[in-house]
Short mmCIF file of all heavy atoms in Angstrom, two decimals:
data_model
loop_
_atom_site.label_atom_id
_atom_site.label_comp_id
_atom_site.label_asym_id
_atom_site.label_seq_id
_atom_site.Cartn_x
_atom_site.Cartn_y
_atom_site.Cartn_z
N ILE A 112 141.62 27.83 68.83
CA ILE A 112 140.90 29.06 68.47
C ILE A 112 139.61 29.04 69.27
O ILE A 112 138.88 28.04 69.24
CB ILE A 112 140.55 29.06 66.96
CG1 ILE A 112 141.75 28.72 66.08
CG2 ILE A 112 139.88 30.38 66.56
CD1 ILE A 112 142.80 29.79 65.94
N HIS A 127 142.70 27.32 81.10
CA HIS A 127 143.21 25.94 81.21
C HIS A 127 143.90 25.48 79.93
O HIS A 127 144.87 24.72 80.00
CB HIS A 127 142.08 25.00 81.62
CG HIS A 127 141.71 25.18 83.06
ND1 HIS A 127 142.52 24.76 84.09
CD2 HIS A 127 140.65 25.80 83.65
CE1 HIS A 127 141.97 25.10 85.25
NE2 HIS A 127 140.83 25.73 85.01
N MET A 130 147.28 26.89 80.31
CA MET A 130 148.06 26.15 81.31
C MET A 130 148.43 24.75 80.83
O MET A 130 149.37 24.14 81.34
CB MET A 130 147.29 26.06 82.64
CG MET A 130 147.18 27.41 83.34
SD MET A 130 146.15 27.37 84.81
CE MET A 130 147.21 26.54 85.98
N ARG A 140 135.10 40.87 69.98
CA ARG A 140 134.79 42.11 69.27
C ARG A 140 135.33 43.35 69.95
O ARG A 140 135.24 44.44 69.42
CB ARG A 140 133.27 42.24 69.12
CG ARG A 140 132.53 42.20 70.43
CD ARG A 140 131.04 42.22 70.23
NE ARG A 140 130.37 41.78 71.45
CZ ARG A 140 129.08 41.81 71.63
NH1 ARG A 140 128.29 42.22 70.66
NH2 ARG A 140 128.55 41.39 72.76
N ASN A 161 152.23 29.07 91.07
CA ASN A 161 153.17 29.41 92.15
C ASN A 161 152.78 28.77 93.48
O ASN A 161 153.61 28.62 94.37
CB ASN A 161 153.28 30.92 92.32
CG ASN A 161 154.17 31.52 91.24
OD1 ASN A 161 154.95 30.80 90.62
ND2 ASN A 161 154.05 32.82 91.00
N GLY A 176 151.42 28.11 77.56
CA GLY A 176 151.42 28.43 76.14
C GLY A 176 151.49 29.92 75.92
O GLY A 176 152.25 30.63 76.57
N ILE A 178 148.79 33.51 74.50
CA ILE A 178 147.41 33.92 74.17
C ILE A 178 147.46 35.14 73.25
O ILE A 178 148.24 36.07 73.49
CB ILE A 178 146.59 34.26 75.44
CG1 ILE A 178 146.77 33.19 76.52
CG2 ILE A 178 145.12 34.42 75.09
CD1 ILE A 178 146.01 33.46 77.82
N HIS A 182 140.40 40.07 66.05
CA HIS A 182 139.11 40.79 66.07
C HIS A 182 138.04 39.99 65.34
O HIS A 182 138.25 39.51 64.22
CB HIS A 182 139.26 42.17 65.43
CG HIS A 182 137.96 42.91 65.46
ND1 HIS A 182 137.49 43.53 66.60
CD2 HIS A 182 137.00 43.08 64.52
CE1 HIS A 182 136.31 44.06 66.36
NE2 HIS A 182 135.98 43.80 65.10
N LEU A 221 117.58 42.77 63.60
CA LEU A 221 118.27 42.16 62.47
C LEU A 221 119.71 42.67 62.42
O LEU A 221 119.97 43.83 62.75
CB LEU A 221 117.57 42.52 61.16
CG LEU A 221 116.18 41.91 60.92
CD1 LEU A 221 115.62 42.37 59.58
CD2 LEU A 221 116.21 40.38 60.99
N LYS A 223 123.27 43.56 60.17
CA LYS A 223 123.41 44.23 58.88
C LYS A 223 123.38 43.22 57.73
O LYS A 223 123.16 43.58 56.58
CB LYS A 223 124.66 45.11 58.84
CG LYS A 223 125.96 44.38 59.00
CD LYS A 223 127.13 45.29 58.62
CE LYS A 223 127.66 46.01 59.83
NZ LYS A 223 129.06 46.43 59.69
N ILE A 255 136.42 20.08 66.74
CA ILE A 255 135.53 21.25 66.67
C ILE A 255 134.47 21.09 67.75
O ILE A 255 133.74 20.09 67.78
CB ILE A 255 134.89 21.38 65.27
CG1 ILE A 255 135.99 21.58 64.21
CG2 ILE A 255 133.90 22.56 65.26
CD1 ILE A 255 135.48 21.61 62.78
N LEU A 265 113.70 23.82 73.88
CA LEU A 265 112.47 24.59 73.64
C LEU A 265 111.98 24.48 72.20
O LEU A 265 110.82 24.75 71.90
CB LEU A 265 112.69 26.07 73.97
CG LEU A 265 112.71 26.44 75.44
CD1 LEU A 265 113.15 27.90 75.59
CD2 LEU A 265 111.32 26.25 76.05
N LYS A 293 120.39 27.46 68.88
CA LYS A 293 121.21 26.44 69.55
C LYS A 293 120.92 25.03 69.01
O LYS A 293 121.80 24.17 69.01
CB LYS A 293 120.98 26.51 71.07
CG LYS A 293 121.56 27.77 71.71
CD LYS A 293 123.07 27.88 71.54
CE LYS A 293 123.69 28.99 72.36
NZ LYS A 293 125.15 29.10 72.20
N GLY A 318 126.38 23.65 81.26
CA GLY A 318 125.85 23.69 82.63
C GLY A 318 125.10 25.00 82.80
O GLY A 318 125.18 25.89 81.94
N TRP A 329 118.78 40.65 80.82
CA TRP A 329 117.61 40.47 81.69
C TRP A 329 117.80 41.13 83.05
O TRP A 329 116.89 41.76 83.58
CB TRP A 329 117.32 38.97 81.86
CG TRP A 329 116.82 38.40 80.57
CD1 TRP A 329 117.57 38.07 79.47
CD2 TRP A 329 115.47 38.17 80.21
NE1 TRP A 329 116.77 37.64 78.46
CE2 TRP A 329 115.47 37.68 78.87
CE3 TRP A 329 114.25 38.32 80.86
CZ2 TRP A 329 114.29 37.34 78.20
CZ3 TRP A 329 113.08 37.98 80.20
CH2 TRP A 329 113.11 37.50 78.88
N GLU A 355 133.97 28.39 86.23
CA GLU A 355 135.07 27.46 85.93
C GLU A 355 134.53 26.05 85.68
O GLU A 355 134.95 25.36 84.76
CB GLU A 355 136.09 27.45 87.09
CG GLU A 355 137.30 26.60 86.76
CD GLU A 355 138.52 26.97 87.58
OE1 GLU A 355 138.36 27.66 88.61
OE2 GLU A 355 139.63 26.56 87.20
N ALA A 385 129.85 15.13 80.93
CA ALA A 385 129.13 13.85 80.84
C ALA A 385 128.44 13.74 79.46
O ALA A 385 127.95 14.75 78.95
CB ALA A 385 128.08 13.78 81.94
N ARG A 413 124.55 35.93 49.91
CA ARG A 413 125.22 37.14 50.40
C ARG A 413 126.69 37.19 49.95
O ARG A 413 127.47 37.99 50.47
CB ARG A 413 125.12 37.19 51.94
CG ARG A 413 123.71 37.54 52.41
CD ARG A 413 123.50 37.14 53.85
NE ARG A 413 122.19 37.53 54.35
CZ ARG A 413 121.05 36.85 54.12
NH1 ARG A 413 121.09 35.73 53.39
NH2 ARG A 413 119.90 37.27 54.60
#
Side-chain angles (χ1 to χ4, degrees):
I112 310 287
H127 287 287
M130 290 174 75
R140 57 185 163 173
N161 282 341
I178 313 179
H182 181 77
L221 292 180
K223 62 167 92 156
I255 298 175
L265 283 172
K293 291 298 190 180
W329 291 77
E355 186 158 16
R413 287 161 176 80

